[in-house]
Amino acid sequence: MNGPGTAFLACLASWRDRIARIPTAMVAKVPRNRREWAAWARRWWWAAPGVTLAAAVVVLARGTGVVEVPWSWIDVRTGVETGPGGRGDPSELEPLARALRDMAPRGPYIVVDQTNNRLYLKEGDRVLREAVCSAGSGMVLRDSEKGRVWVFDTPRGVFRVQKKARNPVWKKPDWAFIEEGKRPPARASDRIEFGTLGEYALYLGDGYMIHGTLYERLLGRSVTHGCIRLGKEDLRAVHDAAEIGTEVYIF
Amino acid sequence: MIERRGRDRGRARPGGRGAWSAPAGRWFRVAGVLACAVACAGESPPAPSPSVAPRVEFLRSLLELARSDVLHLVLDPDRRRIELRLRGALLRVHPVIAVTRPARRIAFLRREDDLSWVTGVHEHGRLEPGRPSDRYEVEVRPGDPDSPVPEARVPLPPEEAIPAPPTWLIQFDDGLDLEVVSASVAGEDTLAPGWWEGLLQAVGHSRFHGTRLRLVLDDEDAAALYRSLSPDIRLLIAPPD
């Protein structure tokens, strides 16, 4: 069959064969001495620019992503071409989404951003109330007499409201006396203080709670010993919305 | 007989057919027949349905994170938001004004980054620059009148105590950098890598981190996010819907 296509293909094949023979010819007779190396260089000097150019093209092509291996990914079960991760099973989506929904808190929950001193009362994606609060100061208190150390951080994590109280009574812990330069009293009744915690308190466990304050002007600053302080109105709203078991997320 | 005029005059027209030679005409006919045969042969393959694999993988990773006690960020470029989550609960949502990633150019050509990171969990995020620590220490000897009692210290509000830089990064172990830019400086130069980074990577020598995503957030959101991120944060990027 004659024609321009045949001629073109034959021409291509001819040049392909010639080019393919070049590397073989270049190393067919390995130069062994200086004279042979000089002869080799005289014969092949014209290849140097080509080799340099080819190397530059390879580096640039690799860098620019022009050269790509045309991968295709086949699902071994169906034989259908898919993406690298496979096509996936749509029926898997719903159980995963349901499992995620089940993990989300039901009903109102409390979120505390302790660095920014903000408390959010939320339900689902909605913010029901945003309040300015105060969180732990980060102070380290050392009792040089007994060697005890307290770190006044608000803990991060998930807590639950364990108890709700109206007009809570504060049983002052040892650090509250040490901080004032006093020795903790022996009698428990000497530790009782009324009104310090405000109108309500939500107990989170380990001595941490959300409570009120006598110093509302300090709200928004990190001044507490680890508890969360709220203003009067916000505390009432949070107290009314929260139930025993309500999740409190502190970050 | 038709008289030929103008430019056609004097040209050979073998067989009264066109300007192509007979073999070339045969080639074109054969090619045409083959093209028709290919076009008509059987049904065209069904269009592949969109892959749900990235979404499944994303939900799996999200569920795994929700079952852990680790605070994590979920970036959803489609919905233009970044969420802070813990144990399945949505803690904060920050609207994102723009999500971009730099496309490197080498020799005037664009180099596309590998997108395999999209569904993975990026771990051990570190803030760059780091936040200053405001921890301070007080030592008291109770009952000793000579021991100083700590004075009531009124700390600065967080906005002043921890000023957020206009541009900051979360660097993850796998090489992903998340660059957060306040909207007020979004038009200015950022920490985005220059073309030289791509060139260095092309020759296999890069001291830079890999893909850098750039989020433009409202100034207050960017600052609040900077202050509130805990160490060792994780990131998950939602695939396109």
Side-chain angles (χ1 to χ4, degrees), chain A residues 61-78:
Chain A
R62 188 180 156 205
T64 53
V66 168
V67 174
E68 283 185 8
V69 181
W71 283 108
S72 64
W73 299 83
I74 307 293
D75 189 316
V76 293
R77 288 177 305 166
T78 61

mmCIF file of all heavy atoms in Angstrom, chain A residues 61-78:
data_model
loop_
_atom_site.group_PDB
_atom_site.id
_atom_site.type_symbol
_atom_site.label_atom_id
_atom_site.label_comp_id
_atom_site.label_asym_id
_atom_site.label_seq_id
_atom_site.Cartn_x
_atom_site.Cartn_y
_atom_site.Cartn_z
ATOM 1 N N ALA A 61 10.575 18.638 32.772
ATOM 2 C CA ALA A 61 9.317 17.909 32.633
ATOM 3 C C ALA A 61 8.908 17.300 33.955
ATOM 4 O O ALA A 61 7.747 17.315 34.349
ATOM 5 C CB ALA A 61 9.473 16.824 31.577
ATOM 6 N N ARG A 62 9.901 16.784 34.676
ATOM 7 C CA ARG A 62 9.596 16.210 35.988
ATOM 8 C C ARG A 62 9.091 17.289 36.919
ATOM 9 O O ARG A 62 8.148 17.108 37.671
ATOM 10 C CB ARG A 62 10.849 15.557 36.546
ATOM 11 C CG ARG A 62 10.598 14.776 37.793
ATOM 12 C CD ARG A 62 11.872 14.166 38.295
ATOM 13 N NE ARG A 62 11.727 13.929 39.714
ATOM 14 C CZ ARG A 62 12.721 13.860 40.555
ATOM 15 N NH1 ARG A 62 13.945 14.011 40.135
ATOM 16 N NH2 ARG A 62 12.516 13.648 41.832
ATOM 17 N N GLY A 63 9.738 18.436 36.848
ATOM 18 C CA GLY A 63 9.350 19.530 37.745
ATOM 19 C C GLY A 63 8.006 20.111 37.414
ATOM 20 O O GLY A 63 7.249 20.483 38.299
ATOM 21 N N THR A 64 7.698 20.214 36.161
ATOM 22 C CA THR A 64 6.452 20.870 35.784
ATOM 23 C C THR A 64 5.286 19.914 35.722
ATOM 24 O O THR A 64 4.150 20.340 35.601
ATOM 25 C CB THR A 64 6.602 21.519 34.405
ATOM 26 O OG1 THR A 64 7.067 20.519 33.502
ATOM 27 C CG2 THR A 64 7.579 22.664 34.441
ATOM 28 N N GLY A 65 5.549 18.641 35.818
ATOM 29 C CA GLY A 65 4.449 17.684 35.775
ATOM 30 C C GLY A 65 3.964 17.427 34.366
ATOM 31 O O GLY A 65 2.896 16.875 34.163
ATOM 32 N N VAL A 66 4.755 17.874 33.357
ATOM 33 C CA VAL A 66 4.338 17.621 31.977
ATOM 34 C C VAL A 66 4.333 16.126 31.696
ATOM 35 O O VAL A 66 3.450 15.581 31.050
ATOM 36 C CB VAL A 66 5.284 18.357 31.000
ATOM 37 C CG1 VAL A 66 5.056 17.877 29.577
ATOM 38 C CG2 VAL A 66 5.057 19.844 31.096
ATOM 39 N N VAL A 67 5.357 15.457 32.231
ATOM 40 C CA VAL A 67 5.431 14.011 32.027
ATOM 41 C C VAL A 67 4.637 13.328 33.130
ATOM 42 O O VAL A 67 4.937 13.482 34.307
ATOM 43 C CB VAL A 67 6.893 13.528 32.066
ATOM 44 C CG1 VAL A 67 6.957 12.019 32.010
ATOM 45 C CG2 VAL A 67 7.654 14.133 30.916
ATOM 46 N N GLU A 68 3.630 12.643 32.749
ATOM 47 C CA GLU A 68 2.831 11.927 33.740
ATOM 48 C C GLU A 68 2.643 10.493 33.285
ATOM 49 O O GLU A 68 2.429 10.240 32.101
ATOM 50 C CB GLU A 68 1.461 12.577 33.876
ATOM 51 C CG GLU A 68 1.481 13.843 34.688
ATOM 52 C CD GLU A 68 0.082 14.371 34.898
ATOM 53 O OE1 GLU A 68 -0.874 13.666 34.538
ATOM 54 O OE2 GLU A 68 -0.029 15.478 35.400
ATOM 55 N N VAL A 69 2.736 9.605 34.221
ATOM 56 C CA VAL A 69 2.444 8.215 33.886
ATOM 57 C C VAL A 69 0.930 8.072 33.886
ATOM 58 O O VAL A 69 0.273 8.388 34.876
ATOM 59 C CB VAL A 69 3.065 7.264 34.935
ATOM 60 C CG1 VAL A 69 2.773 5.822 34.572
ATOM 61 C CG2 VAL A 69 4.552 7.511 35.014
ATOM 62 N N PRO A 70 0.358 7.677 32.771
ATOM 63 C CA PRO A 70 -1.111 7.653 32.691
ATOM 64 C C PRO A 70 -1.687 6.470 33.443
ATOM 65 O O PRO A 70 -2.131 5.494 32.868
ATOM 66 C CB PRO A 70 -1.362 7.569 31.190
ATOM 67 C CG PRO A 70 -0.168 6.852 30.652
ATOM 68 C CD PRO A 70 0.989 7.224 31.528
ATOM 69 N N TRP A 71 -1.667 6.585 34.750
ATOM 70 C CA TRP A 71 -2.240 5.505 35.550
ATOM 71 C C TRP A 71 -3.725 5.419 35.312
ATOM 72 O O TRP A 71 -4.400 6.411 35.176
ATOM 73 C CB TRP A 71 -2.035 5.790 37.041
ATOM 74 C CG TRP A 71 -0.665 5.540 37.537
ATOM 75 C CD1 TRP A 71 0.241 6.489 37.900
ATOM 76 C CD2 TRP A 71 -0.036 4.287 37.725
ATOM 77 N NE1 TRP A 71 1.401 5.898 38.309
ATOM 78 C CE2 TRP A 71 1.259 4.528 38.210
ATOM 79 C CE3 TRP A 71 -0.441 2.973 37.528
ATOM 80 C CZ2 TRP A 71 2.147 3.528 38.502
ATOM 81 C CZ3 TRP A 71 0.452 1.974 37.824
ATOM 82 C CH2 TRP A 71 1.721 2.245 38.297
ATOM 83 N N SER A 72 -4.212 4.220 35.317
ATOM 84 C CA SER A 72 -5.659 4.077 35.434
ATOM 85 C C SER A 72 -5.880 3.018 36.506
ATOM 86 O O SER A 72 -5.080 2.098 36.663
ATOM 87 C CB SER A 72 -6.273 3.646 34.107
ATOM 88 O OG SER A 72 -5.812 2.375 33.754
ATOM 89 N N TRP A 73 -6.916 3.180 37.263
ATOM 90 C CA TRP A 73 -7.164 2.299 38.392
ATOM 91 C C TRP A 73 -8.423 1.486 38.125
ATOM 92 O O TRP A 73 -9.472 2.045 37.832
ATOM 93 C CB TRP A 73 -7.316 3.114 39.688
ATOM 94 C CG TRP A 73 -6.078 3.882 40.002
ATOM 95 C CD1 TRP A 73 -5.716 5.082 39.490
ATOM 96 C CD2 TRP A 73 -5.035 3.492 40.889
ATOM 97 N NE1 TRP A 73 -4.497 5.474 39.992
ATOM 98 C CE2 TRP A 73 -4.064 4.520 40.864
ATOM 99 C CE3 TRP A 73 -4.820 2.388 41.704
ATOM 100 C CZ2 TRP A 73 -2.906 4.463 41.621
ATOM 101 C CZ3 TRP A 73 -3.672 2.342 42.453
ATOM 102 C CH2 TRP A 73 -2.720 3.370 42.404
ATOM 103 N N ILE A 74 -8.280 0.191 38.254
ATOM 104 C CA ILE A 74 -9.380 -0.700 37.932
ATOM 105 C C ILE A 74 -9.885 -1.344 39.220
ATOM 106 O O ILE A 74 -9.105 -1.869 40.020
ATOM 107 C CB ILE A 74 -8.917 -1.819 36.970
ATOM 108 C CG1 ILE A 74 -8.220 -1.226 35.741
ATOM 109 C CG2 ILE A 74 -10.067 -2.698 36.563
ATOM 110 C CD1 ILE A 74 -9.094 -0.430 34.841
ATOM 111 N N ASP A 75 -11.186 -1.277 39.397
ATOM 112 C CA ASP A 75 -11.791 -1.962 40.545
ATOM 113 C C ASP A 75 -11.665 -3.472 40.317
ATOM 114 O O ASP A 75 -12.122 -3.991 39.292
ATOM 115 C CB ASP A 75 -13.262 -1.557 40.662
ATOM 116 C CG ASP A 75 -13.877 -2.065 41.941
ATOM 117 O OD1 ASP A 75 -13.650 -3.242 42.309
ATOM 118 O OD2 ASP A 75 -14.590 -1.290 42.582
ATOM 119 N N VAL A 76 -11.021 -4.172 41.253
ATOM 120 C CA VAL A 76 -10.750 -5.597 41.023
ATOM 121 C C VAL A 76 -12.020 -6.436 41.022
ATOM 122 O O VAL A 76 -12.053 -7.523 40.461
ATOM 123 C CB VAL A 76 -9.768 -6.157 42.074
ATOM 124 C CG1 VAL A 76 -8.405 -5.541 41.903
ATOM 125 C CG2 VAL A 76 -10.276 -5.936 43.486
ATOM 126 N N ARG A 77 -13.076 -5.920 41.645
ATOM 127 C CA ARG A 77 -14.303 -6.707 41.673
ATOM 128 C C ARG A 77 -15.095 -6.541 40.389
ATOM 129 O O ARG A 77 -15.593 -7.494 39.805
ATOM 130 C CB ARG A 77 -15.169 -6.295 42.863
ATOM 131 C CG ARG A 77 -14.619 -6.741 44.202
ATOM 132 C CD ARG A 77 -15.489 -6.225 45.308
ATOM 133 N NE ARG A 77 -15.652 -4.769 45.227
ATOM 134 C CZ ARG A 77 -16.548 -4.082 45.889
ATOM 135 N NH1 ARG A 77 -17.386 -4.671 46.677
ATOM 136 N NH2 ARG A 77 -16.609 -2.765 45.776
ATOM 137 N N THR A 78 -15.225 -5.294 39.943
ATOM 138 C CA THR A 78 -16.094 -5.026 38.802
ATOM 139 C C THR A 78 -15.337 -4.879 37.505
ATOM 140 O O THR A 78 -15.933 -4.967 36.429
ATOM 141 C CB THR A 78 -16.877 -3.730 39.051
ATOM 142 O OG1 THR A 78 -15.923 -2.657 39.183
ATOM 143 C CG2 THR A 78 -17.698 -3.825 40.320
#
